[in-house]
Amino acid sequence: MRTPTVLISGASIAGPALAYWLNTRGWRTTVVERFDELRDDGQNIDVRGAGREVARRMGIEDAIRAASTGETGTEFVDADGTPVARFAAGRSDSGGATAELEILRGQLSRIIVDRTRDDTEYVFGDQIVALDDGDDGDDGVTVTFAHGPTRTFDVVVVAEGLRSRTRSLVFPGVDAVRELGLYCAYLTIPRTADDTDLWRWHSAARGRSLSLRPDNVGTIRATLTFLSDVRGLDELDHDAVVTILRRTFADVGWVAPRVLSALDDAPLYFDAVGQARLPSWSSGRVALVGDAAYCSSPVSGMSTSLALTGAYILAGELAAHPHTAAFARYDAVVRPYVDQAQKLPPGTPRIANPRSRAGVGVMNTVLRIAASPAAERLGGLRSKLFTPPADAIDLPTYPTRPSVSPARAGGQQ
Ligand SMILES: Cc1cc2nc3c(=O)[nH]c(=O)nc-3n(C[C@H](O)[C@H](O)[C@H](O)COP(=O)(O)OP(=O)(O)OC[C@H]3O[C@@H](n4cnc5c(N)ncnc54)[C@H](O)[C@@H]3O)c2cc1C
């Protein structure tokens, strides 16, 4: 039988995870990444619930744990750094603002890519510019690249993240992104003696917050977050973004002066926060996976778990069914899980980023109550605040091909 082929666009989490699972099922996988090399940037991401179970089935759970950021919990502080409330890291597969499995995004990506390098063709520094599914779709998808030669694949899967460009070739005119009116600036700054292994978070009025998180490479990951109704700030150049951040956070207190003074030298990643919402995740022989299809936003703490789970299910269905049936089943199984993950608590993100001082006061009071020993005994408020619906799916089990060695298939199926 002819070996089926897939082109996957995007080499972060969803793309390499899909390649991994299709490799175990005998597909020939090619991954194209727009950047010249694997991207190491990004901060702490959570692997929770079903995503964690998929990581277990891939045999990478121990590698993730070994690369953990070492974050021991979450602490809310006021403008002079005095603790307001503290929560220990989650001890279950799903719970906690700090999940039990926290890892830097770049390190998780590398772990998965390393598991696929022997079987997957990686093409860096190129991207899709045109897709031709043919008249009847029987001959596969002909792909035109910006640089490499035109090639044909049985299936193409877009794993390009929230702002995917290829998605607009597949669904022209569809506005897939629901902006949440929140901007995030991520910086890596030197660690000092005052830093701890807690995720420390300060909410200031006017919808601004500032947080510091530990990592496993001896630096500190700082995040500056602010609400804004102005669209397109993420398209400004570096200097303009730095100017906005300095003006916005000048009076925030706590470690703001230290973080703002690092802006000239620190690696900076600035993005608008949003969700991807589409009525369908496929068209013809082309499908979407991960953030390109159903980003739930960093606010949900679920995007990486959705990406891992979605990749596992898409691969399982593609290996078992012709693409049309496989894409329909993928949608049917994953969509209810996505719907729950994308349902953010009412008022999010505004409720966690109050506009007024009084709002900050109310938020801190709620956090104090949630962190109190009485709330710990009752449990309910805390789990409402910090436990996303990471387990809200029954993970199917898919047969692997007999020719695949247990080591490559990751053990448990
Ligand atoms: C550099 C970076 C930093 C991040 N930092 C954080 C963070 O700090 N916190 C957080 O919660 N989430 C972060 N994320 C998002 C997080 O990785 C995802 O929410 C989640 O893990 C799902 O991943 P994904 O693979 O679906 O998409 P993404 O992780 O967004 O990856 C998409 C990949 O596709 C590539 N790509 C984009 N366009 C094209 C194209 N046209 N052709 C080929 N390749 C393309 C990108 O370069 C990237 O490698 C970051 C993502 C990236 C890419």
Side-chain angles (χ1 to χ4, degrees), residues 1 9 55 68-69 116 146 164 177 305 308 358 406:
M1 210 174 81
S9 182
S68 151
T69 57
T116 56
S164 166
V177 179
S305 300
L308 289 170

Side-chain angles (χ1 to χ4, degrees), residues 74-332:
T74 307
E75 182 176 74
F76 293 84
V77 302
D78 66 16
D80 56 19
T82 306
V84 170
R86 183 186 288 187
F87 303 90
R91 278 184 224 100
S92 65
D93 273 10
S94 310
T98 296
E100 199 202 341
L101 280 191
E102 293 262 348
I103 180 170
L104 294 179
R105 187 210 64 88
Q107 293 185 5
L108 177 58
S109 176
R110 207 164 273 282
I111 286 171
I112 304 173
V113 169
D114 285 347
R115 292 291 196 284
T116 56
R117 273 199 202 276
D118 290 346
D119 299 306
T120 297
E121 175 196 14
Y122 278 92
V123 179
F124 287 95
D126 208 350
Q127 58 187 300
I128 298 169
V129 292
L131 293 165
D132 182 357
D133 214 340
D135 286 339
D136 52 15
D138 279 352
D139 298 330
V141 192
T142 303
V143 182
T144 310
F145 295 94
H147 305 296
T150 297
R151 293 171 64 177
T152 300
F153 299 86
D154 292 317
V155 166
V156 172
V157 180
V158 179
E160 296 175 0
L162 178 63
R163 313 268 165 201
S164 166
R165 291 181 200 166
T166 306
R167 183 178 55 208
S168 30
L169 300 177
V170 186
F171 297 104
V174 172
D175 184 7
V177 179
R178 178 180 161 227
E179 304 288 353
L180 293 181
L182 186 71
Y183 288 95
C184 282
Y186 302 102
L187 299 82
T188 306
I189 61 174
R191 187 171 174 128
T192 68
D194 291 336
D195 290 317
T196 70
D197 285 333
L198 292 164
W199 179 9
R200 288 190 297 158
W201 177 299
H202 169 55
S203 286
R206 303 209 328 258
R208 299 163 299 168
S209 67
L210 163 58
S211 79
L212 299 183
R213 306 184 80 166
D215 64 23
N216 62 340
V217 292
T219 49
I220 287 285
R221 308 290 167 139
T223 307
L224 300 162
T225 309
F226 62 97
L227 293 173
S228 173
D229 294 328
V230 180
R231 296 284 179 266
L233 299 183
D234 51 320
E235 285 156 25
L236 297 174
D237 65 26
H238 176 270
D239 289 354
V241 168
V242 167
T243 303
I244 290 171
L245 292 173
R246 289 213 161 110
R247 283 199 191 136
T248 307
F249 286 86
D251 63 336
V252 158
W254 189 39
V255 293
R258 169 183 163 204
V259 174
L260 295 180
S261 71
L263 276 171
D264 287 329
D265 305 320
L268 172 67
Y269 177 70
F270 183 68
D271 206 2
V273 175
Q275 295 189 329
R277 300 216 176 188
L278 289 121
S280 168
W281 300 327
S282 65
S283 170
R285 289 178 171 268
V286 186
L288 311 177
V289 72
D291 275 9
Y294 32 73
C295 175
S296 56
S297 87
V299 177
S300 74
M302 282 289 293
S303 287
T304 302
S305 300
L306 291 181
L308 289 170
T309 307
Y312 168 78
I313 292 171
L314 178 55
E317 297 298 341
L318 269 174
H321 305 281
H323 70 275
T324 310
F327 292 161
R329 292 172 62 98
Y330 161 59
D331 199 308

